[in-house]
Amino acid sequence: MTDTRTLPASIEVLPSRFKAADGFLFPRGTRVYLTDIGAPETEAKMLDAARELSALGHQPVPHIAARRIASEDLLERRVSALANKAGVSSMLLIGGGLERPIGPFESVMALLETGVFERNGITDLAIAGHPEGSPDFSDTVADAALLEKQAFAARHGISLRIVTQFAFDAQAILDWETHIREIGVDIPVHMGVAGPAGLLTLIKYAKMCGIGKSASLLAHQPKRLMGLGAGYSPDNLVEPVEAEQAAGRHNGIAQIHVFPFGGLERSAAWLTGRGSWDKADDRPPLR
């Protein structure tokens, strides 16, 4: 009999909405990604949220969006503050989704080549993956970018992982992971998963994020994706991947990364109930 592996999980939060009390929903040591949505107050809010998460014993992972960084000085200041004032040791680097950059950085590679992360002791980095493709670039460009970043990380002693955009088709994710291994990408994949939420909420976010295939799947095959309750069940995405791993395949998918569109409490309850997280404790914050 083959045992099914239960994948561990990280989660994503908006810095502007994060409260210290939210940190008690997560088991100590959880990687909590802090989203950069381009708002003017992002820098201060992200620093505050990262401090709170570190104090609670979690691992804050701020987003750094290349095309939203106005200058090299701003990049240096932001990375230095997060590392030295908030205990950040890991970051997620993304393009930023703007058609034209507001500063000198066109791409994640441009960020990496500054050396700012190594100068500030950040040698644990995440980059984005797009199992269903991206509206901003072709699959060929995406493949080349993954290989370029992987080679850079190997040369500079950086631990690199891929965190994917959320999707709703397990087979599409498995096929994409097979493809990137075939072209030579061998770094771990953290699979993006939408947490429990209502159908209309998920369709809205899928369209906002440019995930056309997933939005279509949700709209046209909702019964396939719904659990017994009134809403979307992430188990319909995660369990087929775990079953593949139990059969010895796709073990490069190291964990799941949850986008809590239906609320932090709902996602935390789902992760705890399925065994991806230990029950969060109520011990006082670490200082």
Side-chain angles (χ1 to χ4, degrees):
M1 181 176 176
T2 305
D3 291 330
T4 301
R5 178 188 181 197
T6 300
L7 287 165
S10 55
I11 199 163
E12 188 143 332
V13 303
L14 281 170
S16 60
R17 296 183 184 177
F18 177 76
K19 307 179 295 297
D22 294 334
F24 292 100
L25 295 169
F26 321 137
R28 189 169 295 205
T30 299
R31 271 189 180 137
V32 182
Y33 289 69
L34 297 168
T35 311
D36 179 359
I37 59 171
E41 71 277 12
T42 290
E43 188 172 357
K45 293 285 188 181
M46 191 170 285
L47 184 61
D48 288 345
R51 281 174 169 155
E52 293 282 3
L53 287 163
S54 290
L56 288 165
H58 301 310
Q59 300 178 56
V61 185
H63 291 197
I64 303 292
R67 294 188 166 213
R68 293 180 183 155
I69 302 291
S71 68
E72 291 191 27
D73 286 345
L74 174 61
L75 175 66
E76 185 78 47
R77 184 178 75 239
R78 186 172 295 180
V79 173
S80 176
L82 288 164
N84 298 308
K85 296 180 180 180
V88 169
S89 60
S90 181
M91 295 181 178
L92 169 64
L93 310 186
I94 58 175
L98 299 179
E99 185 176 349
R100 295 181 180 177
I102 65 172
F105 303 112
E106 286 269 356
S107 66
V108 167
M109 275 307 305
L111 295 176
L112 289 169
E113 288 167 350
T114 65
V116 66
F117 303 102
E118 294 128 289
R119 282 197 300 276
N120 288 281
I122 307 291
T123 57
D124 182 72
L125 293 173
I127 57 175
H130 300 85
E132 294 188 354
S134 168
D136 300 324
F137 43 77
S138 69
D139 291 346
T140 300
V141 168
D143 289 350
L146 286 176
L147 289 167
E148 186 179 18
K149 293 165 193 170
Q150 176 176 265
F152 182 95
R155 291 195 304 271
H156 291 264
I158 293 170
S159 176
L160 197 65
R161 64 190 178 276
I162 300 170
V163 179
T164 76
Q165 183 58 278
F166 66 94
F168 301 97
D169 185 345
Q171 192 58 53
I173 293 169
L174 294 170
D175 290 346
W176 174 81
E177 200 248 349
T178 296
H179 167 72
I180 65 169
R181 302 313 179 200
E182 288 174 345
I183 66 170
V185 176
D186 60 7
I187 55 181
V189 169
H190 294 191
M191 179 176 72
V193 176
L199 180 62
L200 294 179
T201 296
L202 294 175
I203 291 174
K204 178 185 78 171
Y205 279 107
K207 289 180 177 177
M208 283 172 55
C209 296
I211 310 173
K213 292 179 185 176
S214 277
S216 177
L217 187 67
L218 282 166
H220 295 102
Q221 300 184 55
K223 290 182 180 178
R224 174 183 161 192
L225 296 165
M226 295 296 165
L228 295 177
Y232 162 72
S233 171
D235 287 315
N236 291 327
L237 176 71
V238 179
E239 288 178 356
V241 175
E242 291 174 332
E244 282 290 299
Q245 294 191 337
R249 298 182 292 269
H250 296 284
N251 289 310
I253 299 176
Q255 67 172 69
I256 58 178
H257 174 65
V258 177
F259 297 81
F261 299 131
L264 284 175
E265 289 100 342
R266 199 168 171 185
S267 286
W270 171 69
L271 288 166
T272 302
R274 75 182 312 274
S276 288
W277 279 355
D278 294 328
K279 184 175 174 57
D281 61 60
D282 58 357
R283 291 175 292 173
L286 295 176
R287 295 298 181 190

